[in-house]
Amino acid sequence: MKIEITILGLLMEGNLYGYEIKKKIVERLEDYVDIKFGSIYYAIKKSVENGWVKRVGTEKESGNPERYVYEILPAGKKHYKKLLKQYFDTNFIHFDVDIVLMFFDNLTEEQKEQFLEERTTLIKDKIDSIKEKIEKNAADNSYRHILSYLEHHLKAELNWLKTLKTND
């Protein structure tokens, strides 16, 4: 469902070809999603088959293969809104680190300290990276919500990590 939402959402912004979709995903979410290039084309193909998207043209640059330009259809817009509602209604916030934290107490004190230091450094680096992206793309509102969300989440995690350090 994530790849469908991503592709349909990007096409809501305007017509794109497959590589542009991948490029926008990397630009906006490079460290936060792992969508393979091949899965993008598979999802586009399925979206075309389902009547949510159609090819509206081709582009060809010298020496490169022909690229298909895609447009979202009214049925795709309807499906996109349905997916968003389903996602907001049923998905809880979950991060991979949550599972690891279940076993945090199994670590030695030295391992805990190392984990906390490494995680704190990683989070600070991610926050700095997001701030740079926000400043660099200040005029582009298309993904400021995700960057702002990620920044606030990471700051909350950083504060939470500080409480772990003081509680041990």
Side-chain angles (χ1 to χ4, degrees), residues 60-88:
K60 178 150 176 66
E61 293 179 11
S62 61
N64 292 323
E66 192 171 59
R67 303 182 291 200
Y68 297 107
V69 179
Y70 297 95
E71 172 183 62
I72 191 166
L73 296 170
K77 292 176 183 179
K78 183 177 178 180
H79 182 66
Y80 171 71
K81 290 176 184 173
K82 178 182 160 194
L83 287 175
L84 284 179
K85 182 173 179 351
Q86 283 177 344
Y87 191 81
F88 283 124

Side-chain angles (χ1 to χ4, degrees), residues 97-129:
V97 75
D98 299 350
I99 296 166
V100 174
L101 291 173
M102 209 166 43
F103 305 105
F104 186 72
D105 287 335
N106 295 342
L107 300 175
T108 66
E109 292 305 314
E110 186 178 306
Q111 289 170 323
K112 287 179 184 179
E113 189 176 315
Q114 182 180 355
F115 167 81
L116 293 172
E117 288 305 316
E118 289 174 359
R119 187 73 185 172
T120 299
T121 300
L122 175 69
I123 298 298
K124 287 178 179 178
D125 291 346
K126 295 284 185 192
I127 291 170
D128 290 343
S129 173

Side-chain angles (χ1 to χ4, degrees), residues 144-155:
R144 71 179 160 83
H145 296 300
I146 185 71
L147 291 175
S148 174
Y149 169 80
L150 291 169
E151 180 184 15
H152 282 83
H153 170 76
L154 291 171
K155 285 179 178 178

